[in-house]
Amino acid sequence: MKGGDALWFVQRCRAGTVRDAMDFGLSWLGEDHKPIEITHSKRLNTHLPNKDEADRKENALRLWRESQSARGTLVEIYLRRRCVWPRDPVADIRFHPSCPMGKGLRLPVMIALMRNILTGEPQAIHRTALLADGSWKHAVGKKMLGPKSGAAIMLSPPEDVGTGLSISEGIENALTAMCGGWRPAWVAGDAGGVEVFPVLDGVEHLTIFADADDTGRGIAAARTCARRWQEVGRIATVKIPPLGKD
């Protein structure tokens, strides 16, 4: 039919809407007509955790509750050996004497609480396995437990953050920066955390202490983060240590 289909023709003849034409056509055919309900899906800004994620979060926070102050423990020995024992106590770094680090494996660890970057709520933990005398890291290395996305280890409390903030990939890097006077300081946990570290309201200058690993991943992540901050008019500076140093 020239100009449109049958529905178009009915609409023109009756001078009504498309819905009017549909109603007329269904009535003429003797069909029962029920209004069409249209639902609009909305993209949620908040992530809805699944059961597995919720279980991992609960397990992580349970281990955190089992931990004790770092002072006078293997954590203090380890950090003093690295010359990064903080002048002021850091509430979110503690010691767990026998923490699960794999199937059937328990080790003494430096345990750090990871908080949601925007809300400050605890959601995961970071564990550094230590030798039995605390002299260095265990070969097992470092592991995180719980939903780490959007979280950081806040060595400086959120209320200390003003217009400037420094972030690092690892705890030791951040403590080194703090000992050098860089405060407030947070830890992103890994290169991925640095790369996606969000632009924060009120923070005008971000200093990123890049991890100079052999692959170049740490430096690339720091530069990606800096560009994102700079694109929205913030100051972002990347500081790179000698290759292989952390």
Side-chain angles (χ1 to χ4, degrees):
M1 180 179 296
K2 185 178 180 180
D5 57 14
L7 187 61
W8 174 86
F9 179 76
V10 172
Q11 182 186 358
R12 289 293 300 273
C13 290
R14 296 179 61 84
T17 65
V18 173
R19 174 57 62 85
D20 293 333
M22 290 175 63
D23 290 344
F24 175 83
L26 290 170
S27 176
W28 186 77
L29 292 171
E31 297 287 339
D32 291 331
H33 171 57
K34 294 181 180 179
I36 299 173
E37 294 184 0
I38 302 174
T39 57
H40 299 276
S41 62
K42 295 181 179 179
R43 183 177 180 181
L44 299 178
N45 292 325
T46 55
H47 172 64
L48 299 178
N50 56 35
K51 184 178 185 302
D52 179 62
E53 187 174 276
D55 287 345
R56 288 188 290 111
K57 177 180 178 179
E58 176 53 36
N59 288 337
L61 297 185
R62 175 179 53 80
L63 292 173
W64 175 254
R65 291 191 294 269
E66 292 173 1
S67 66
Q68 63 192 69
S69 169
R71 186 171 294 279
T73 70
L74 299 184
V75 172
E76 181 173 359
I77 294 173
Y78 168 67
L79 294 180
R80 284 193 182 279
R81 185 179 177 88
R82 297 199 61 154
C83 301
V84 294
W85 178 250
R87 181 179 69 246
D88 301 317
V90 175
D92 284 356
I93 293 181
R94 295 172 63 85
F95 173 65
H96 195 300
S98 181
C99 190
M101 289 295 284
K103 189 173 182 179
L105 178 65
R106 286 181 171 269
L107 293 169
V109 304
M110 175 172 69
I111 185 170
L113 186 62
M114 302 188 73
R115 298 178 180 271
N116 185 281
I117 293 171
L118 300 180
T119 68
E121 290 298 312
Q123 65 182 56
I125 57 171
H126 180 287
R127 297 160 291 169
T128 303
L130 302 175
L131 294 176
D133 61 358
S135 60
W136 205 246
K137 291 180 286 190
H138 191 281
V140 168
K142 303 177 180 184
K143 294 186 178 184
M144 288 181 272
L145 177 63
K148 68 183 182 68
S149 179
I153 302 164
M154 299 178 178
L155 301 184
S156 303
E159 55 267 26
D160 287 357
V161 178
T163 58
L165 176 66
S166 69
I167 63 169
S168 303
E169 188 173 318
I171 294 172
E172 295 86 350
N173 275 10
L175 288 174
T176 299
M178 290 179 73
C179 289
W182 290 91
R183 297 166 183 261
W186 290 1
V187 178
D190 56 20
V194 169
E195 192 168 53
V196 300
F197 191 83
V199 177
L200 301 177
D201 289 342
V203 178
E204 297 298 328
H205 190 167
L206 181 71
T207 302
I208 308 165
F209 289 92
D211 189 85
D213 58 275
D214 295 336
T215 67
R217 171 75 173 110
I219 294 174
R223 287 174 173 162
T224 297
C225 178
R227 281 195 299 270
R228 233 176 348 92
W229 278 63
Q230 291 163 356
E231 286 170 358
V232 294
R234 310 297 176 89
I235 301 171
T237 305
V238 176
K239 293 189 174 294
I240 303 173
L243 188 63
K245 299 293 183 180
D246 64 0

